[in-house]
Amino acid sequence: MPPTPPGPLGDCLRDWEELQQDFQSIQETHRQYRLKLEELIKLQNSCTSSITRQKKKLHELALILKKCQCDTPALTGFCGPTCRCKPSLPAGVQEASKELENQIKERQGLFFDMEAYLPKKNGLYLSLVLGNVNVTLLSKQAKFAYKDEYEKFKLYLTIILILISFTCRFLLNSRVTDAAFNFLLVWYYCTLTIRESILINNGSRIKGWWVFHHYVSTFLSGVMLTWPDGLMYQKFRNQFLSFSMYQSFVQFLQYYYQSGCLYRLRALGERHTMDLTVEGFQSWMWRGLTFLLPFLFFGHFWQLFNALTLFSLARDPECKEWQVLMCGLPFLLLFLGNFFTTLRVVHQKFHSQRHRSKKD
């Protein structure tokens, strides 16, 4: 090997040799990474297929167990908590079958937690939006980071929506600024639906109406965006902006209250670590009943008031816009979904508390 020449050229050659050695180390690390990645994919596929096989057998076992617990096999699969089928098993065997049924439900819950760390096919909505991209986050840290970022996104956008709705309501009266506000609402709710679908894929237990109402809100905001300026729009404008201000304020209250509840319950091990704050009342928020429910019910009835106002405007002879009726229907649907879902949660909580007090 020729001697290294003095001066800047020699320094460059020495640096190049160090880079070469470092590059060889990087190549070896990358080779090991690819091998581990292939091994990980094989383990994921093996685990997924094993869980699928076990879940299928558990489902078959649950059906057989239901059949054994009833005299009328024709009702298999339709029996539930209110089933009045006459037990055909002795008391001891009946108790053992109930224990087995509880173990099957517990096993299904464990499989749900396992599948949160395994790649899965996207649902219809995510497939339409993202295609067949794997959105499963493989580490707890990544899941928590994404969940926390989702919560911060909701908080920051809620504050921004309060400020913009206040500006449009009291400072500016322009269809351009109103359109910008409605466009922000469309983008916000669309983004929430996508992020929530990703969180559900990663083990979040948010479901039911609290997911669906974001799709309804997206549709409503889109119709408001297309509503042209005119007499009907001006009649409803201030009411809508005032409602948007109030709704964002309630969501701001909910975020701080629910995040505190969730933090306490997670620390006690009573809630799943991927549970989220939602725009509604849930059973784990029971301690804030007197504080939060009046705000929620007032907002629900304001949605009904919006729907009735729009239906009244739609009957006006001067009303020519289709947006009037198409905004009234989502407001009515939002009221019905929010109101009856909240009532159901309150009723279930009262019923469970009464049942617990009778046991005590």
Side-chain angles (χ1 to χ4, degrees):
M1 186 174 180
T4 304
L9 180 58
D11 295 337
C12 288
L13 291 174
R14 281 190 294 270
D15 291 341
W16 174 251
E17 290 177 4
E18 291 178 3
L19 286 174
Q20 282 290 88
Q21 293 175 0
D22 193 30
F23 177 69
Q24 291 174 0
S25 176
I26 292 172
Q27 280 186 314
E28 177 61 23
T29 303
H30 188 262
R31 187 185 67 82
Q32 292 179 6
Y33 163 75
R34 290 181 60 184
L35 291 175
K36 294 292 183 182
L37 185 60
E38 291 176 3
E39 184 180 349
L40 174 65
I41 293 172
K42 290 179 182 178
L43 286 173
Q44 286 175 344
N45 294 335
S46 174
C47 195
T48 301
S49 60
S50 298
I51 289 175
T52 303
R53 187 168 58 251
Q54 276 255 335
K55 287 175 69 175
K56 183 179 178 182
K57 291 183 178 179
L58 282 177
H59 180 68
E60 294 172 353
L61 184 60
L63 291 178
I64 294 172
L65 195 60
K66 289 271 187 180
K67 187 176 180 180
C68 292
Q69 289 174 341
C70 297
D71 278 334
T72 51
L75 293 178
T76 299
F78 296 91
C79 300
T82 59
C83 174
R84 297 182 180 179
C85 301
K86 184 180 177 181
S88 59
L89 299 173
V93 180
Q94 189 76 13
E95 186 178 344
S97 67
K98 190 66 178 177
E99 178 65 23
L100 180 57
E101 186 177 357
N102 292 335
Q103 290 179 358
I104 290 174
K105 290 180 180 178
E106 183 181 353
R107 181 70 56 83
Q108 290 171 340
L110 291 173
F111 282 147
F112 178 85
D113 292 335
M114 289 181 185
E115 287 177 326
Y117 293 90
L118 294 169
K120 57 179 71 69
K121 288 185 178 179
N122 294 335
L124 177 62
Y125 181 66
L126 276 183
S127 297
L128 291 174
V129 176
L130 302 177
N132 195 27
V133 178
N134 178 27
V135 295
T136 305
L137 304 171
L138 300 181
S139 69
K140 278 188 178 181
Q141 292 79 7
K143 291 177 186 291
F144 295 161
Y146 190 81
K147 179 186 69 67
D148 289 341
E149 199 274 334
Y150 164 83
E151 297 286 7
K152 290 176 182 176
F153 171 79
K154 286 175 62 177
L155 175 63
Y156 296 155
L157 262 293
T158 299
I159 296 172
I160 291 172
L161 289 172
I162 292 176
L163 296 175
I164 296 179
S165 58
F166 178 86
T167 302
C168 292
R169 173 66 178 84
F170 296 106
L171 302 179
L172 298 174
N173 188 354
S174 168
R175 187 66 185 93
V176 175
T177 54
D178 290 356
F181 174 67
N182 286 310
F183 178 79
L184 180 63
L185 285 175
V186 173
W187 175 79
Y188 171 62
Y189 286 119
C190 279
T191 307
L192 283 185
T193 58
I194 296 171
R195 292 184 181 222
E196 284 171 353
S197 298
I198 294 174
L199 285 164
I200 291 170
N201 261 26
N202 284 276
S204 218
R205 296 172 187 265
I206 180 173
K207 57 184 178 180
W209 170 252
W210 306 125
V211 175
F212 180 71
H213 92 289
H214 281 160
Y215 293 92
V216 180
S217 300
T218 304
F219 174 79
L220 173 61
S221 303
V223 176
M224 286 294 300
L225 178 62
T226 64
W227 193 345
D229 195 6
L231 180 61
M232 297 299 110
Y233 177 81
Q234 289 299 326
K235 283 184 176 182
F236 185 65
R237 174 184 182 274
N238 289 342
Q239 181 175 326
F240 172 72
L241 291 173
S242 299
F243 167 76
S244 298
M245 251 192 311
Y246 177 81
Q247 185 182 45
S248 298
F249 169 71
V250 173
Q251 289 175 3
F252 181 79
L253 290 180
Q254 282 180 291
Y255 170 81
Y256 275 104
Y257 176 75
Q258 292 182 29
S259 58
C261 286
L262 282 175
Y263 180 81
R264 176 178 55 84
L265 292 172
R266 286 179 193 134
L268 295 173
E270 297 178 15
R271 297 301 306 174
H272 193 266
T273 52
M274 288 295 286
D275 280 350
L276 304 167
T277 62
V278 296
E279 285 90 65
F281 186 79
Q282 294 199 311
S283 57
W284 47 265
M285 297 160 48
W286 192 247
R287 289 191 178 182
L289 175 69
T290 55
F291 169 71
L292 209 54
L293 274 183
F295 290 99
L296 291 174
F297 277 122
F298 185 79
H300 299 341
F301 282 104
W302 198 338
Q303 289 171 333
L304 176 62
F305 178 60
N306 288 340
L308 295 177
T309 301
L310 289 165
F311 292 151
S312 176
L313 291 175
R315 293 195 299 269
D316 193 307
E318 297 185 30
C319 178
K320 307 297 181 184
E321 301 94 337
W322 59 269
Q323 287 89 347
V324 178
L325 184 60
M326 293 307 295
C327 283
L329 293 174
F331 269 120
L332 179 61
L333 181 58
L334 287 172
F335 162 73
L336 294 173
N338 289 331
F339 180 72
F340 286 108
T341 303
T342 304
L343 277 185
R344 179 175 58 83
V345 174
V346 173
H347 176 265
Q348 287 176 349
K349 193 65 180 180
F350 270 122
H351 182 73
S352 63
Q353 282 193 339
R354 190 182 308 155
H355 185 69
R356 194 180 301 114
S357 62
K358 285 182 180 179
K359 277 189 174 182
D360 295 340

